[in-house]
Amino acid sequence: MNKVIICIGRQLGCGGHIIAKLLAEDFNCKLFDKELLNLAAKESGFSEKFFEQNDEQKGFLKSLFQSHGRSVLTDSMYSNQFSQESLFQFQSDAISKAAQEESCVFVGRCADYVLRDQKNMVSIFITADINDRIKAVQERHSCDEETARRILTRKENARASYYNYYTGKKWGCAESYDLCINSSILGYEETERQIAAFIRKRVVND
């Protein structure tokens, strides 16, 4: 079996992480979601909390200054002229390094763009009906519908801005991915099975 690299883009509340986990089990891959933040922190020397607080958000460095002040960065860091792009690069390097070592499933963080030259990479975007996504956010955050809608809008705008800025593509647009699928139609488990079948035809049997 060829090495498989699966990159998952997802709307909030669509079950993207659950489906990614099922895919990782199905293909015996290592799953990278929040784990990428730890890898990026090791690459950069920054605290992991910096990556957590700015996860999938454009304007990374500016946010660090505003949140923590100049004291969080040493003079040597200034001399290296870190920029928003170089911080993104730390995460990209972590993604590339992980993909070189073994089969992986990556969730978000522009992994499909970072690994775009990998022959064995498949990019998937998972969506779901708005009512299902609102319900999922309500359950996760124990909030009312109005609050859930605000969370959806804020976080998805951040994800879209981040993806569009770094990739030059459009987040959630069909032409940006190999396959787009609505998890509301078949449910999480059957959605995973359909994605897995596509991947096997696209990569494993090459």
Side-chain angles (χ1 to χ4, degrees):
M1 181 182 293
N2 295 332
K3 183 172 69 173
V4 180
I5 305 298
I6 305 167
C7 299
I8 303 291
R10 74 286 185 223
Q11 286 188 305
L12 193 69
C14 73
H17 180 84
I18 296 171
I19 294 169
K21 185 177 180 180
L22 292 171
L23 286 166
E25 293 170 355
D26 198 346
F27 288 94
N28 194 27
C29 293
K30 189 165 184 179
L31 174 64
F32 290 94
D33 191 342
K34 295 292 185 181
E35 295 84 357
L36 284 171
L37 307 181
N38 177 263
L39 291 178
K42 290 179 180 178
E43 288 288 329
S44 67
F46 278 108
S47 167
E48 186 177 349
K49 71 178 181 180
F50 292 158
F51 288 87
E52 290 175 351
Q53 291 167 349
N54 296 274
D55 190 22
E56 293 188 292
Q57 295 186 54
K58 187 164 67 71
F60 198 137
L61 189 63
K62 181 179 179 181
S63 180
L64 287 183
F65 282 116
Q66 290 176 341
S67 299
H68 302 282
R70 177 171 178 150
S71 62
V72 302
L73 299 177
T74 67
D75 290 338
S76 63
M77 290 178 180
Y78 277 109
S79 66
N80 287 334
Q81 296 182 334
F82 278 5
S83 67
Q84 178 177 320
E85 284 70 26
S86 63
L87 288 167
F88 172 76
Q89 190 62 46
F90 286 126
Q91 187 162 271
S92 299
D93 290 344
I95 290 169
S96 296
K97 185 177 293 185
Q100 289 171 6
E101 294 176 354
E102 58 189 322
S103 292
C104 301
V105 178
F106 296 99
V107 179
R109 285 98 189 170
C110 301
D112 60 319
Y113 176 76
V114 174
L115 303 173
R116 62 193 180 279
D117 294 328
Q118 291 260 4
K119 181 182 177 182
N120 55 350
M121 188 276 288
V122 182
S123 59
I124 311 293
F125 190 83
I126 303 172
T127 183
D129 295 347
I130 183 63
N131 290 336
D132 290 338
R133 295 194 292 118
I134 289 172
K135 182 179 179 181
V137 172
Q138 283 184 268
E139 292 176 355
R140 185 183 307 169
H141 294 276
S142 299
C143 63
D144 59 24
E145 180 178 337
E146 183 179 350
T147 301
R149 285 183 181 275
R150 288 199 299 268
I151 292 172
L152 274 172
T153 299
R154 175 172 53 82
K155 290 194 173 183
E156 290 197 342
N157 284 345
R159 282 182 184 176
S161 179
Y162 179 86
Y163 184 87
N164 297 350
Y165 177 80
Y166 284 111
T167 70
K169 300 191 293 181
K170 188 172 181 181
W171 181 80
C173 182
E175 65 186 17
S176 298
Y177 309 90
D178 296 321
L179 175 70
C180 296
I181 191 164
N182 186 331
S183 63
S184 291
I185 297 174
L186 299 174
Y188 297 163
E189 292 186 358
E190 184 59 30
T191 295
E192 186 276 334
R193 283 192 281 269
Q194 294 297 320
I195 294 172
F198 176 83
I199 292 170
R200 288 188 173 95
K201 289 183 179 180
R202 172 75 167 77
V203 174
V204 177
N205 293 329
D206 283 352

